[in-house]
Each structure stands twice: as structure tokens, then as C-alpha cells.
Amino acid sequence: MNPTREEESVDSLSSLEERILRAVELVSQLKQQNQTLQKEVEEALAGKSEAQAQLAKLQQEMDSLRSERKQVRTRIEKLLGQMDLLSES
């Protein structure tokens, strides 16, 4: 081998080695980002479950309050009807 071919070969290997090292670094960074994103997704899903449970509880409470309001309205209407009867007599 002549010296230029050896230099070209060494340069080529060095270049290949640098590209491989950059690829390894990139893969490591992407794995770390993937893990971080997976944790964020898990936290978001947990938050979603909590929010859904709270929503169900609030809906149940709202239904209960509506029912109570209807009962109060009925009782008031009944009382007003009795007052009307008393005022007519």
C-alpha cells in the first residue's frame, strides 16, 4: 500500500467511527426522550382517570341537587295552593 491509500483508509475509518459515535449518541438521546415521554403519558392517563372519577361524582351530585330542587318546588307549590285555599275562605 502506498502512503496516500493508507491515509485515505484511516480518514475513511475515522469518519465512519465519528458517524457511528454520533448515531450511538442520537440513539441514547432518543431512548431518554422516549422514557420521559412515556412517563408523561402515564401521568396524563392517571390524571385523566382522576378527572373522570371526579366528573362522575359531580354529575351524581348535580343529579341529586336537581332532584332535591324538584322536591322543594313541589312542596312550595303545595303550600302556595293551601294558602290560596285559606285566603279564599
Side-chain angles (χ1 to χ4, degrees):
M1 279 192 170
N2 63 29
T4 37
R5 281 215 179 247
E6 281 184 30
E7 288 175 11
E8 287 176 8
S9 178
V10 169
D11 287 343
S12 178
L13 285 175
S14 292
S15 174
L16 180 61
E17 182 180 9
E18 285 178 34
R19 289 189 303 188
I20 290 172
L21 289 174
R22 279 186 275 154
V24 168
E25 281 181 31
L26 181 59
V27 168
S28 294
Q29 289 174 354
L30 290 174
K31 282 183 178 180
Q32 187 176 12
Q33 288 175 355
N34 188 28
Q35 288 175 347
T36 301
L37 290 173
Q38 284 179 344
K39 285 180 185 178
E40 289 176 9
V41 166
E42 289 173 5
E43 290 171 2
L45 289 174
K48 178 185 173 188
S49 295
E50 290 174 17
Q52 286 176 330
Q54 188 175 9
L55 176 63
K57 180 182 174 186
L58 290 173
Q59 285 175 334
Q60 184 179 13
E61 185 177 338
M62 189 168 53
D63 290 342
S64 174
L65 289 171
R66 283 182 178 152
S67 175
E68 185 179 326
R69 181 180 70 184
K70 186 176 179 181
Q71 290 174 1
V72 168
R73 180 181 288 153
T74 303
R75 292 172 77 186
I76 289 174
E77 287 173 354
K78 191 184 245 185
L79 288 172
L80 288 174
Q82 288 177 354
M83 288 176 66
D84 284 343
L85 286 175
L86 286 175
S87 64
E88 289 175 3
S89 353

